Amino acid sequence: MNTPELPTYADVEAAASRIAGVAHRTPVQTSRTLNEIIGAEVFFKCENFQRMGAFKFRGAFNALSKFSPAQREAGVVAFSSGNHAQGIALSAKILGVPTTIVMPHDAPASKVAATKGYGATVVSFDRYTEDREAIGRRLAEEKGLTLIPPYDHPDILSGQGTAAKELFEEVGALDYLFVPLGGGGLLSGTALSTRALAPQCVLYGVEPEAGNDGQQSFRSGEIVHIDTPKTIADGAQTQHLGNYTFGIIRRDVDDILTATDAELVSAMKFFASRMKMLVEPTGCLGLAAALNRKDALTGKRVGVILSGGNVDLERFCALTAE
Ligand SMILES: *Cc1c(COP(=O)(O)O)cnc(C)c1O
């Protein structure tokens, strides 16, 4: 593997000043019921309340803010299962940058509609047979667009790290932090903030059990590639970590855990019924993993990044109906 020069916490701080006043400083919520169930003090960083409904706005706005005038004029292209696309589309709209988004044909309707609503041109593809990265790269070459990948980019992961920075600033050091993991932009950025602000904190990435490439990679020391996993956690249906994200994760993360789709559904129900929050399946990975290892958490201060809330209401109802 080629190890690129990795971003540092200084890049997260720079990102924080670029997004200040544009991104929301999202609330930290707690639940007495949950604290009793787990026997710990649990703090949720609620990125479901971020602009466009997920933390992805942070990285996207940070990356686009750094474009040169020529890049701004030519435009941006992104490939994404949804939230990255929306983050790019909204950031580009705010900054006046033309946008093309490559999206899977079966992306949730709410995500496609929201992306188009921000003024982006949407190009769709079959996520089980076509290579979105190749499509994105071809568009970039043909039209002179700047390709911003969903996770493996220093400006993206540095921007994502601002959520954990805010969490530590608000609640102080934590004993444990649980973070959803797809391609690792959120986890690697979080790792930079964690090692700077709460170095002793035990940091876990959490993947869907059906797509545990990150766990395999972490444990083997090589980036493992898998087929697109079938899971309800559509924000974590990634096939592999990136060179930047894996470099940081391997150095700074304590372990990668998994959660099943059934556990994600239970967590969705808990958030809706007890905390009055609509959380998308991928956003539930952290809570699901914390519940799985609650015995280890007794008496501790535990952070959970609740990464997003974009789920069609019909889909939410279908998933939580049983
Ligand atoms: C993208 C996304 C993730 C995974 O983030 P990565 O940076 O790809 O690891 C988790 N949750 C939600 C809601 C997302 O949109």
Side-chain angles (χ1 to χ4, degrees):
M1 187 187 94
N2 259 342
T3 310
E5 196 182 320
L6 299 175
T8 67
Y9 181 62
D11 296 298
V12 179
E13 289 180 301
S17 42
R18 281 183 207 106
I19 71 170
V22 186
H24 296 312
R25 213 180 156 94
T26 51
V28 176
Q29 308 269 42
T30 57
S31 157
R32 264 169 218 272
T33 308
L34 185 74
N35 288 350
E36 273 162 34
I37 293 171
I38 300 197
E41 212 180 341
V42 184
F43 302 93
F44 291 101
K45 178 63 171 168
C46 294
E47 290 294 297
N48 54 320
F49 297 132
Q50 185 50 265
R51 289 186 75 168
M52 54 64 50
F55 71 90
K56 294 275 195 334
F57 181 70
R58 297 173 180 271
F61 192 84
N62 184 47
L64 291 190
S65 298
K66 292 182 72 180
F67 272 24
S68 69
Q71 285 177 303
R72 282 189 192 214
E73 193 170 330
V76 60
V77 58
F79 47 82
S80 165
S81 64
N83 284 337
H84 174 62
Q86 284 185 66
I88 291 284
L90 174 57
S91 302
K93 186 180 175 195
I94 294 168
L95 295 165
V97 179
T99 313
T100 304
I101 302 291
V102 183
M103 274 190 138
H105 68 290
D106 59 347
S110 61
K111 293 186 179 180
V112 178
T115 307
K116 287 186 177 161
Y118 293 131
T121 303
V122 173
V123 175
S124 61
F125 75 104
D126 184 336
R127 75 160 98 202
Y128 297 105
T129 61
E130 293 175 284
D131 178 0
R132 65 181 188 175
E133 303 187 22
I135 297 171
R137 252 179 238 116
R138 200 186 60 230
L139 283 166
E141 269 165 36
E142 284 172 5
K143 301 188 176 168
L145 312 180
T146 302
L147 176 65
I148 299 293
Y151 52 87
D152 202 28
H153 189 293
D155 300 335
I156 292 292
L157 71 87
S158 303
Q160 319 306 30
T162 59
K165 175 178 184 287
E166 291 172 9
L167 175 63
F168 290 121
E169 284 167 358
E170 186 161 337
V171 306
L174 295 166
D175 300 307
Y176 289 88
L177 181 56
F178 292 82
V179 184
L181 170 61
L186 180 62
L187 180 59
S188 58
T190 299
L192 297 178
S193 294
T194 304
R195 293 302 161 237
L197 302 175
Q200 305 308 319
C201 178
V202 175
L203 177 59
Y204 292 129
V206 188
E207 282 180 314
E209 189 178 83
N212 74 334
D213 61 288
Q215 186 179 59
Q216 293 180 48
S217 305
F218 186 81
R219 294 180 183 178
S220 71
E222 302 278 342
I223 297 177
V224 171
H225 291 241
I226 59 168
D227 289 338
T228 300
K230 295 204 167 146
T231 164
I232 61 170
D234 53 283
Q237 278 184 310
T238 41
Q239 294 173 273
H240 55 85
L241 301 178
N243 287 333
Y244 290 102
T245 61
F246 181 61
I248 296 170
I249 288 169
R250 211 180 151 195
R251 184 190 66 196
D252 288 344
V253 171
D254 289 285
D255 203 1
I256 311 289
L257 313 174
T258 62
T260 65
D261 282 0
E263 289 163 349
L264 297 180
V265 169
S266 303
M268 284 167 82
K269 288 181 182 172
F270 178 84
F271 282 128
S273 61
R274 305 311 296 246
M275 296 182 73
K276 321 303 168 199
M277 293 197 292
L278 193 61
V279 182
E280 63 181 280
T282 316
C284 293
L285 284 163
L287 173 59
L291 286 167
N292 274 339
R293 42 176 65 203
K294 66 185 168 84
D295 293 346
L297 306 179
T298 309
K300 303 291 187 189
R301 287 164 51 79
V302 178
V304 173
I305 296 191
L306 201 167
S307 53
N310 291 328
V311 53
D312 288 352
L313 205 47
E314 295 72 22
R315 184 159 178 262
F316 182 89
C317 293
L319 287 171
T320 55
E322 306 91 66

